[in-house]
Amino acid sequence: MNIDQLAWDKMDGLLPAIVQDAASGEVRMLGYMSRDALAATLDTGKVTFFSRSNQALWVKGETSGNTLDLVSVATDCDDDALLVVARPAGPTCHKGMRSCFGEDVITGTGFIGQLERIVSARASSDPDDSYTARLMERGIKRIAQKVGEEGVEAALAATAGDKHEVASEVADLVYHLTVLLKASDTDWQAVIDVLKERHEA
């Protein structure tokens, strides 16, 4: 990215920057970046904005700890807006919400990314309080067994033609697959990368 070629003159040296969750696709916030803020973001890997009220750079989460770890930055077709893809550490909104646009802005399959975070958080919980933690404690063989069982149940529901039961059983399967990925030290992004490679081949 050539920072100097962006359309800085349109908004007095600032560009709107939409922050998107790398895992779920959720829009987390809208901020503004100056040349220096974008350069700092690219250099440090921590999403940095320009505060219009304080007229200074600020690193998201520098006081709260709820940082945004940079994955990528793209410009729109007019080079006057930025799409910042990041991995959030905690809620992004200063009001404690996951997103500045509310808690219900994840749509479609984007919830899988949120499910992955939930599984990751619960994996280290007390096994007495968490089914996920109990599964993780029992090990990869038990988790794999559960994936097999849920896969069979989903297939049986499909052959029975019950749409509600299919959705329910596939939900169980996706949850257990998410736990399996966690136990295998990988994630849905790795799966998506393989699917993309196959589609592009």
Side-chain angles (χ1 to χ4, degrees), residues 7-163:
W8 299 107
D9 57 327
K10 288 188 178 181
M11 290 184 61
D12 298 324
L14 297 178
L15 294 181
I18 300 164
V19 178
Q20 184 179 34
D21 187 322
S24 67
E26 177 182 32
V27 174
R28 286 294 188 120
M29 66 172 289
L30 170 68
Y32 292 88
M33 288 188 176
S34 61
R35 280 184 176 86
D36 289 342
L38 179 55
T41 296
L42 295 171
D43 185 50
T44 66
K46 297 292 183 185
V47 179
T48 303
F49 298 99
F50 181 81
S51 170
R52 293 175 296 168
S53 55
N54 296 324
Q55 291 293 296
L57 297 185
W58 62 283
V59 180
K60 182 71 178 88
E62 61 187 343
T63 55
S64 67
N66 298 325
T67 55
L68 295 166
D69 293 328
L70 180 67
V71 173
S72 65
V73 180
T75 61
D76 73 345
C77 54
D78 293 322
D79 288 331
D80 61 2
L82 301 170
L83 177 62
V84 179
V85 180
R87 293 190 180 91
T92 298
C93 180
H94 71 286
K95 293 183 177 179
M97 295 184 295
R98 198 173 56 243
S99 166
C100 292
F101 298 95
E103 293 288 353
D104 298 319
V105 294
I106 296 179
T107 60
T109 56
F111 180 73
I112 300 297
Q114 182 63 16
L115 174 63
E116 198 165 48
R117 285 202 181 94
I118 293 168
V119 165
S120 184
R122 291 183 182 173
S124 56
S125 300
D126 185 339
D128 290 336
D129 300 326
S130 168
Y131 173 69
T132 301
R134 287 196 297 278
L135 266 180
M136 292 292 289
E137 187 178 58
R138 295 186 68 178
I140 194 79
K141 288 184 179 179
R142 176 55 182 157
I143 298 168
Q145 181 184 8
K146 286 296 296 180
V147 168
E149 292 172 2
E150 299 299 344
V152 169
E153 289 177 11
L156 290 173
T159 58
D162 185 332
K163 290 182 180 180

Side-chain angles (χ1 to χ4, degrees), residues 136-186:
M136 292 292 289
E137 187 178 58
R138 295 186 68 178
I140 194 79
K141 288 184 179 179
R142 176 55 182 157
I143 298 168
Q145 181 184 8
K146 286 296 296 180
V147 168
E149 292 172 2
E150 299 299 344
V152 169
E153 289 177 11
L156 290 173
T159 58
D162 185 332
K163 290 182 180 180
H164 175 75
E165 192 64 20
V166 170
S168 178
E169 295 299 344
V170 170
D172 289 343
L173 177 58
V174 168
Y175 161 76
H176 285 92
L177 281 170
T178 304
V179 176
L180 182 69
L181 289 169
K182 171 69 177 175
S184 301
D185 195 28
T186 187

